[in-house]
Short mmCIF file of all heavy atoms in Angstrom, two decimals:
data_model
loop_
_atom_site.label_atom_id
_atom_site.label_comp_id
_atom_site.label_asym_id
_atom_site.label_seq_id
_atom_site.Cartn_x
_atom_site.Cartn_y
_atom_site.Cartn_z
N LEU K 1 92.16 95.16 104.19
CA LEU K 1 92.72 96.50 104.04
C LEU K 1 93.78 96.47 102.95
O LEU K 1 94.46 95.45 102.76
CB LEU K 1 93.37 96.96 105.35
CG LEU K 1 92.46 97.19 106.55
CD1 LEU K 1 93.30 97.51 107.77
CD2 LEU K 1 91.48 98.31 106.30
N THR K 2 93.91 97.57 102.23
CA THR K 2 95.03 97.69 101.30
C THR K 2 96.30 97.91 102.13
O THR K 2 96.41 98.93 102.82
CB THR K 2 94.82 98.86 100.34
OG1 THR K 2 93.71 98.58 99.49
CG2 THR K 2 96.05 99.08 99.48
N PRO K 3 97.24 96.96 102.10
CA PRO K 3 98.43 97.09 102.97
C PRO K 3 99.28 98.30 102.60
O PRO K 3 99.19 98.83 101.50
CB PRO K 3 99.19 95.78 102.71
CG PRO K 3 98.22 94.87 102.05
CD PRO K 3 97.27 95.75 101.29
N ALA K 4 100.11 98.69 103.54
CA ALA K 4 101.06 99.78 103.32
C ALA K 4 102.45 99.17 103.23
O ALA K 4 103.11 98.96 104.25
CB ALA K 4 100.99 100.79 104.45
N PRO K 5 102.91 98.82 102.03
CA PRO K 5 104.23 98.18 101.90
C PRO K 5 105.34 99.09 102.41
O PRO K 5 105.27 100.31 102.29
CB PRO K 5 104.36 97.96 100.38
CG PRO K 5 102.96 98.02 99.86
CD PRO K 5 102.24 98.98 100.75
N LEU K 6 106.36 98.49 103.00
CA LEU K 6 107.54 99.19 103.49
C LEU K 6 107.22 100.14 104.64
O LEU K 6 108.04 100.98 104.99
CB LEU K 6 108.22 99.97 102.35
CG LEU K 6 108.53 99.18 101.08
CD1 LEU K 6 109.05 100.11 100.00
CD2 LEU K 6 109.53 98.09 101.37
N ALA K 7 106.03 100.01 105.23
CA ALA K 7 105.61 100.92 106.30
C ALA K 7 105.83 100.24 107.65
O ALA K 7 106.02 99.03 107.74
CB ALA K 7 104.14 101.29 106.13
N PRO K 8 105.83 101.02 108.76
CA PRO K 8 105.95 100.43 110.10
C PRO K 8 104.82 99.44 110.38
O PRO K 8 103.75 99.51 109.76
CB PRO K 8 105.87 101.64 111.03
CG PRO K 8 106.21 102.82 110.17
CD PRO K 8 105.73 102.49 108.80
N VAL K 9 105.04 98.54 111.32
CA VAL K 9 104.07 97.48 111.59
C VAL K 9 102.75 98.05 112.11
O VAL K 9 101.70 97.43 111.98
CB VAL K 9 104.67 96.47 112.60
CG1 VAL K 9 104.85 97.11 113.97
CG2 VAL K 9 103.80 95.23 112.69
N TRP K 10 102.78 99.26 112.67
CA TRP K 10 101.55 99.83 113.20
C TRP K 10 100.72 100.53 112.11
O TRP K 10 99.61 100.97 112.37
CB TRP K 10 101.84 100.81 114.33
CG TRP K 10 102.98 101.75 114.13
CD1 TRP K 10 104.23 101.62 114.62
CD2 TRP K 10 102.99 102.96 113.36
NE1 TRP K 10 105.03 102.67 114.22
CE2 TRP K 10 104.29 103.51 113.45
CE3 TRP K 10 102.03 103.64 112.62
CZ2 TRP K 10 104.64 104.70 112.83
CZ3 TRP K 10 102.38 104.82 112.00
CH2 TRP K 10 103.67 105.33 112.10
N SER K 11 101.25 100.62 110.91
CA SER K 11 100.49 101.18 109.79
C SER K 11 99.81 100.01 109.08
O SER K 11 100.44 99.25 108.35
CB SER K 11 101.42 101.94 108.84
OG SER K 11 100.69 102.52 107.78
N LEU K 12 98.50 99.84 109.32
CA LEU K 12 97.79 98.64 108.86
C LEU K 12 97.40 98.71 107.39
O LEU K 12 97.10 97.69 106.79
CB LEU K 12 96.53 98.42 109.70
CG LEU K 12 96.75 98.16 111.18
CD1 LEU K 12 95.41 97.89 111.87
CD2 LEU K 12 97.70 97.00 111.40
N GLY K 13 97.36 99.89 106.80
CA GLY K 13 96.91 100.03 105.41
C GLY K 13 95.80 101.06 105.31
O GLY K 13 95.75 102.01 106.08
N ALA K 14 94.89 100.83 104.36
CA ALA K 14 93.81 101.80 104.13
C ALA K 14 92.59 101.07 103.59
O ALA K 14 92.69 99.94 103.09
CB ALA K 14 94.27 102.88 103.16
N PHE K 15 91.44 101.71 103.71
CA PHE K 15 90.21 101.19 103.12
C PHE K 15 89.35 102.36 102.64
O PHE K 15 89.60 103.52 103.00
CB PHE K 15 89.44 100.31 104.12
CG PHE K 15 88.80 101.07 105.26
CD1 PHE K 15 87.44 101.36 105.25
CD2 PHE K 15 89.55 101.48 106.36
CE1 PHE K 15 86.84 102.04 106.30
CE2 PHE K 15 88.97 102.16 107.42
CZ PHE K 15 87.61 102.44 107.39
N MET K 16 88.37 102.04 101.81
CA MET K 16 87.49 103.07 101.27
C MET K 16 86.21 103.11 102.08
O MET K 16 85.57 102.07 102.32
CB MET K 16 87.17 102.78 99.80
CG MET K 16 88.38 102.77 98.88
SD MET K 16 89.30 104.33 98.86
CE MET K 16 88.07 105.42 98.11
N LEU K 17 85.82 104.29 102.51
CA LEU K 17 84.58 104.50 103.26
C LEU K 17 83.80 105.62 102.56
O LEU K 17 84.21 106.78 102.60
CB LEU K 17 84.89 104.90 104.71
CG LEU K 17 83.67 105.18 105.60
CD1 LEU K 17 82.85 103.91 105.81
CD2 LEU K 17 84.12 105.75 106.95
N ARG K 18 82.72 105.22 101.89
CA ARG K 18 81.89 106.18 101.16
C ARG K 18 82.75 107.05 100.22
O ARG K 18 82.74 108.28 100.29
CB ARG K 18 81.09 107.04 102.13
CG ARG K 18 80.06 106.25 102.94
CD ARG K 18 79.16 107.18 103.73
NE ARG K 18 79.89 107.90 104.76
CZ ARG K 18 80.10 107.44 105.99
NH1 ARG K 18 79.64 106.26 106.34
NH2 ARG K 18 80.76 108.15 106.87
N ASP K 19 83.51 106.37 99.36
CA ASP K 19 84.34 107.03 98.35
C ASP K 19 85.47 107.88 98.94
O ASP K 19 86.05 108.72 98.27
CB ASP K 19 83.49 107.91 97.43
CG ASP K 19 82.51 107.09 96.60
OD1 ASP K 19 82.86 105.94 96.27
OD2 ASP K 19 81.42 107.60 96.29
N GLU K 20 85.78 107.65 100.21
CA GLU K 20 86.87 108.38 100.86
C GLU K 20 87.89 107.38 101.38
O GLU K 20 87.52 106.36 101.97
CB GLU K 20 86.32 109.22 102.01
CG GLU K 20 87.36 110.05 102.72
CD GLU K 20 86.73 110.87 103.85
OE1 GLU K 20 85.69 110.45 104.39
OE2 GLU K 20 87.29 111.92 104.17
N MET K 21 89.16 107.64 101.14
CA MET K 21 90.21 106.74 101.58
C MET K 21 90.58 107.01 103.03
O MET K 21 90.83 108.16 103.40
CB MET K 21 91.44 106.88 100.70
CG MET K 21 92.51 105.85 100.99
SD MET K 21 93.98 106.16 100.02
CE MET K 21 94.52 107.71 100.76
N ILE K 22 90.60 105.94 103.85
CA ILE K 22 90.91 106.08 105.27
C ILE K 22 92.17 105.27 105.59
O ILE K 22 92.13 104.04 105.63
CB ILE K 22 89.74 105.58 106.15
CG1 ILE K 22 88.41 106.24 105.75
CG2 ILE K 22 90.06 105.83 107.63
CD1 ILE K 22 88.35 107.71 105.99
N PRO K 23 93.33 105.93 105.83
CA PRO K 23 94.51 105.21 106.33
C PRO K 23 94.26 104.78 107.77
O PRO K 23 93.63 105.52 108.54
CB PRO K 23 95.63 106.24 106.23
CG PRO K 23 95.06 107.39 105.43
CD PRO K 23 93.59 107.36 105.62
N VAL K 24 94.76 103.60 108.15
CA VAL K 24 94.47 103.06 109.48
C VAL K 24 95.77 102.85 110.26
O VAL K 24 96.71 102.24 109.76
CB VAL K 24 93.69 101.74 109.40
CG1 VAL K 24 93.39 101.21 110.80
CG2 VAL K 24 92.39 101.93 108.62
N ILE K 25 95.79 103.35 111.50
CA ILE K 25 96.92 103.19 112.42
C ILE K 25 96.48 102.29 113.56
O ILE K 25 95.38 102.43 114.10
CB ILE K 25 97.37 104.56 112.97
CG1 ILE K 25 97.97 105.41 111.86
CG2 ILE K 25 98.36 104.39 114.12
CD1 ILE K 25 98.26 106.83 112.28
N ASP K 26 97.33 101.33 113.92
CA ASP K 26 97.08 100.47 115.07
C ASP K 26 97.68 101.13 116.30
O ASP K 26 98.90 101.10 116.51
CB ASP K 26 97.69 99.09 114.83
CG ASP K 26 97.20 98.06 115.85
OD1 ASP K 26 97.09 98.43 117.03
OD2 ASP K 26 96.94 96.92 115.45
N LEU K 27 96.83 101.74 117.13
CA LEU K 27 97.33 102.49 118.28
C LEU K 27 98.06 101.59 119.27
O LEU K 27 99.05 102.00 119.88
CB LEU K 27 96.16 103.20 118.98
CG LEU K 27 95.75 104.57 118.44
CD1 LEU K 27 94.62 105.13 119.28
CD2 LEU K 27 96.93 105.52 118.44
N ALA K 28 97.57 100.37 119.45
CA ALA K 28 98.20 99.48 120.42
C ALA K 28 99.65 99.19 120.03
O ALA K 28 100.55 99.17 120.87
CB ALA K 28 97.40 98.18 120.54
N ARG K 29 99.90 98.98 118.75
CA ARG K 29 101.26 98.72 118.29
C ARG K 29 102.10 99.99 118.31
O ARG K 29 103.29 99.96 118.65
CB ARG K 29 101.23 98.12 116.89
CG ARG K 29 100.62 96.73 116.84
CD ARG K 29 100.54 96.20 115.43
NE ARG K 29 99.93 94.87 115.38
CZ ARG K 29 99.61 94.22 114.26
NH1 ARG K 29 99.87 94.79 113.09
NH2 ARG K 29 99.07 93.03 114.32
N LEU K 30 101.49 101.10 117.96
CA LEU K 30 102.22 102.36 117.95
C LEU K 30 102.72 102.73 119.34
O LEU K 30 103.85 103.18 119.53
CB LEU K 30 101.32 103.48 117.40
CG LEU K 30 101.88 104.89 117.44
CD1 LEU K 30 103.09 105.01 116.53
CD2 LEU K 30 100.82 105.90 117.02
N LEU K 31 101.85 102.51 120.36
CA LEU K 31 102.20 102.85 121.74
C LEU K 31 102.91 101.71 122.46
O LEU K 31 103.07 101.74 123.67
CB LEU K 31 100.94 103.25 122.50
CG LEU K 31 100.20 104.47 121.95
CD1 LEU K 31 98.91 104.72 122.70
CD2 LEU K 31 101.09 105.70 121.97
N GLN K 32 103.27 100.66 121.68
CA GLN K 32 104.01 99.50 122.19
C GLN K 32 103.25 98.78 123.29
O GLN K 32 103.82 98.25 124.25
CB GLN K 32 105.39 99.94 122.70
CG GLN K 32 106.24 100.57 121.60
CD GLN K 32 107.60 101.04 122.07
OE1 GLN K 32 107.87 101.09 123.26
NE2 GLN K 32 108.46 101.38 121.14
N LEU K 33 101.92 98.74 123.15
CA LEU K 33 101.08 97.96 124.05
C LEU K 33 100.80 96.58 123.50
O LEU K 33 100.21 95.74 124.17
CB LEU K 33 99.74 98.69 124.28
CG LEU K 33 99.85 100.10 124.86
CD1 LEU K 33 98.49 100.77 124.88
CD2 LEU K 33 100.45 100.04 126.27
N ASP K 34 101.22 96.34 122.24
CA ASP K 34 101.00 95.07 121.57
C ASP K 34 102.18 94.86 120.62
O ASP K 34 102.49 95.73 119.81
CB ASP K 34 99.67 95.11 120.79
CG ASP K 34 99.35 93.79 120.13
OD1 ASP K 34 100.24 92.92 120.05
OD2 ASP K 34 98.21 93.62 119.66
N ASP K 35 102.86 93.72 120.76
CA ASP K 35 104.01 93.46 119.89
C ASP K 35 103.66 92.54 118.73
O ASP K 35 104.55 91.98 118.08
CB ASP K 35 105.16 92.84 120.70
CG ASP K 35 104.75 91.54 121.40
OD1 ASP K 35 103.59 91.11 121.23
OD2 ASP K 35 105.59 90.96 122.11
N GLY K 36 102.37 92.38 118.41
CA GLY K 36 101.95 91.56 117.29
C GLY K 36 102.32 92.19 115.95
O GLY K 36 102.53 93.40 115.84
N THR K 37 102.42 91.34 114.92
CA THR K 37 102.78 91.82 113.58
C THR K 37 101.81 91.34 112.51
O THR K 37 101.93 91.75 111.36
CB THR K 37 104.20 91.36 113.20
OG1 THR K 37 104.24 89.92 113.23
CG2 THR K 37 105.23 91.93 114.16
N GLY K 38 100.88 90.47 112.85
CA GLY K 38 99.99 89.90 111.84
C GLY K 38 98.80 90.78 111.55
O GLY K 38 98.70 91.92 112.00
N THR K 39 97.86 90.24 110.76
CA THR K 39 96.65 90.97 110.44
C THR K 39 95.74 91.02 111.65
O THR K 39 95.82 90.17 112.56
CB THR K 39 95.90 90.31 109.28
OG1 THR K 39 95.61 88.95 109.63
CG2 THR K 39 96.74 90.32 108.01
N ARG K 40 94.86 91.98 111.71
CA ARG K 40 93.94 92.14 112.82
C ARG K 40 92.70 91.29 112.62
O ARG K 40 92.31 90.97 111.50
CB ARG K 40 93.55 93.61 112.99
CG ARG K 40 94.65 94.45 113.64
CD ARG K 40 94.98 93.91 115.02
NE ARG K 40 95.93 94.77 115.74
CZ ARG K 40 96.41 94.48 116.94
NH1 ARG K 40 96.05 93.35 117.54
NH2 ARG K 40 97.25 95.28 117.52
N ASN K 41 92.05 90.93 113.74
CA ASN K 41 90.86 90.10 113.68
C ASN K 41 89.67 90.89 113.20
O ASN K 41 89.55 92.09 113.44
CB ASN K 41 90.56 89.51 115.07
CG ASN K 41 91.65 88.59 115.56
OD1 ASN K 41 92.27 87.89 114.76
ND2 ASN K 41 91.89 88.60 116.86
N ALA K 42 88.76 90.18 112.52
CA ALA K 42 87.50 90.81 112.13
C ALA K 42 86.73 91.17 113.40
O ALA K 42 86.79 90.47 114.40
CB ALA K 42 86.70 89.87 111.25
N GLY K 43 85.99 92.24 113.37
CA GLY K 43 85.22 92.67 114.52
C GLY K 43 85.86 93.81 115.27
O GLY K 43 85.24 94.40 116.16
#
């Protein structure tokens, strides 16, 4: 994913899907169900 510099840890970045940019939010981190800070696993 293209990272989101200076953004909250739950803002994972963005990717392109059929020529459309999709920003990605990690709901688990946003709702404080996960205190991880690293990259997400494939799958």
Side-chain angles (χ1 to χ4, degrees):
L1 294 174
T2 293
L6 308 174
V9 68
W10 43 260
S11 182
L12 297 183
F15 71 101
M16 299 301 294
L17 179 66
R18 295 188 294 272
D19 295 328
E20 182 179 27
M21 187 185 67
I22 308 294
V24 181
I25 293 172
D26 192 320
L27 275 182
R29 293 177 181 173
L30 175 65
L31 299 176
Q32 300 179 348
L33 302 173
D34 183 347
D35 58 1
T37 59
T39 58
R40 283 300 186 183
N41 297 325

